[in-house]
Each structure stands twice: as structure tokens, then as C-alpha cells.
Amino acid sequence: MRISTTPFELARRAATVLGSGLEASIIFQEHGVSVAAGSSTAAAARCDQAEARAETGPCIDSIHLGTVQIVPVVAESAGWDAWRAQTLREDFVSALAVPAFVNKDVAVALNLYSRAPDPWNNELLTAADGYAQLAASVVALNLELAELEDATAGLYRRLSDAAAVERAVGAVMHSNDTSESEARRIIESASKNRNVTQREVAETILRALVVTDTPPPEEQPGA
């Protein structure tokens, strides 16, 4: 199992093009499961991982509320304790979160981190929204291609329910830098809260985030 490099490339491009010394991350949310999908730097990744593990922060709130979240002064933000503590440890002083929606169950958000005070002018906000929408379009395309590949080769149909969930647990552990028990809890909670099966949650995570070369040996025909 290999995690897709596409979200990392999008985050790096956003940070480079938007400039102003910004660092960028992309969070992917499906059926309530938040995953730190890709970052331009390790510092930005750690901030998003803290947010995803705590299940609260500006990126996640931007998706839930459907609005941009501007954090002019990170130290003065309230209600995002884990994210705020990690962001301050990384010496970021200001942040921005911009949501974009793939479909009714899947969304992404672009997190931008700044070591300079409140750089969020109208031009930068417009450009950040454009990159968030681009990220959503890429996720949508990845999902469509993965579904087409599965329809053709049966890659996911060959996986048992248990195998699909286990692979999704691994993807969440890797992306969020979290324990197996926590990753499993996240998927179970999403399944219950959204009234869908754990396999449905797992398959969307895998299609969006994982590059599949071939089915695992135990799931191949004749194995």
C-alpha cells in the first residue's frame, strides 16, 4: 500500500505559488473521517495531524461550517487546543483554512500557515480558494478513476470487508500519525454516525488516498 503523493504535490504547489513564506496542508474528510492528506513541510503536517487526531481545528471547522476560517492570531484562537498548541510549537503566528466540496460525503480543506502576522488580504484569499477548489477537483478525479479501475479489474471487490477496513486503518495511521486503536475508532465512529458500513468508509478512504498496484496476495484469485 502506497499513499498517493498528489495531495503533497498540491500542497507544495500552493505554498510556492501563493508565496509570502506560507506553508500549506490539505485535509481530506469523508463520512466524518478527517485525514491529513498532504503538506508542503513537516511542520505544517504536524499541525494538521494534531488537528485530525483531535477532530477539531480551523480546517475541520471550515468544512463543517462551509466557510473560510481566518485565524489572524493563533495564540488568541479558542476551542482548538491541540491544533493551537502544535501550531505555536511550530512558530506559526497566523493561519487560514479554506474548504471545498467534492460531493455530499467528501470534502477537502486547504490550511495555510504563516510565520508573519495576518497576511490574509483579498488577493491571497481568492487565490487560496482557487487552490482549495483545485484540490477538490483532483480528489473527485481520483475517486472516479479508482471506481473505474475497480469496475474493470475488481481490485476492491477482491478485498473482503475486513481486509478493506484493515487497509484503511493503515492509511489513517500513516496520514494522521496515530495509533491503530485510534484509527480503528475513527472509522468505526464514522460508520455509526453516518449510518454507513465500515467498508463504505474504508473504500472511499482507499480510493482517495491510496495508490493500489495489485490486490494483496491473500486476496488474489486462487490464493
Side-chain angles (χ1 to χ4, degrees), residues 73-95:
V73 182
V74 171
E76 296 177 1
S77 62
W80 304 322
D81 293 349
W83 173 85
R84 182 179 64 253
Q86 185 64 50
T87 302
L88 292 174
R89 276 195 291 271
E90 304 296 346
D91 294 324
F92 294 120
V93 299
S94 189

Side-chain angles (χ1 to χ4, degrees), residues 20-68:
S20 302
L22 299 176
E23 298 176 35
S25 284
I26 293 172
I27 275 186
F28 164 84
Q29 188 176 92
E30 181 267 334
H31 289 301
V33 177
S34 299
V35 178
S39 302
S40 65
T41 63
R46 288 189 290 268
C47 294
D48 272 21
Q49 287 167 344
E51 178 174 7
R53 289 194 299 268
E55 299 181 2
T56 183
C59 223
I60 291 174
D61 277 12
S62 75
I63 292 173
H64 289 168
L65 298 173
T67 59
V68 172

Side-chain angles (χ1 to χ4, degrees), residues 46-165:
R46 288 189 290 268
C47 294
D48 272 21
Q49 287 167 344
E51 178 174 7
R53 289 194 299 268
E55 299 181 2
T56 183
C59 223
I60 291 174
D61 277 12
S62 75
I63 292 173
H64 289 168
L65 298 173
T67 59
V68 172
Q69 297 291 299
I70 300 175
V71 189
V73 182
V74 171
E76 296 177 1
S77 62
W80 304 322
D81 293 349
W83 173 85
R84 182 179 64 253
Q86 185 64 50
T87 302
L88 292 174
R89 276 195 291 271
E90 304 296 346
D91 294 324
F92 294 120
V93 299
S94 189
L96 175 75
V98 184
F101 298 89
V102 178
N103 56 45
K104 66 182 180 66
D105 295 317
V106 179
V108 299
L110 174 67
N111 255 345
L112 295 175
Y113 295 97
S114 174
R115 300 181 194 281
D118 197 13
W120 317 118
N121 56 42
N122 288 337
E123 182 180 15
L124 187 51
L125 290 173
T126 299
D129 180 70
Y131 268 93
Q133 300 303 325
L134 175 61
S137 297
V138 170
V139 169
L141 179 60
N142 284 351
L143 289 173
E144 290 173 6
L145 291 176
E147 288 172 2
L148 177 61
E149 182 181 37
D150 192 27
T152 303
L155 296 177
Y156 289 105
R157 286 199 299 272
R158 294 177 187 179
L159 292 174
S160 66
D161 290 354
V165 170

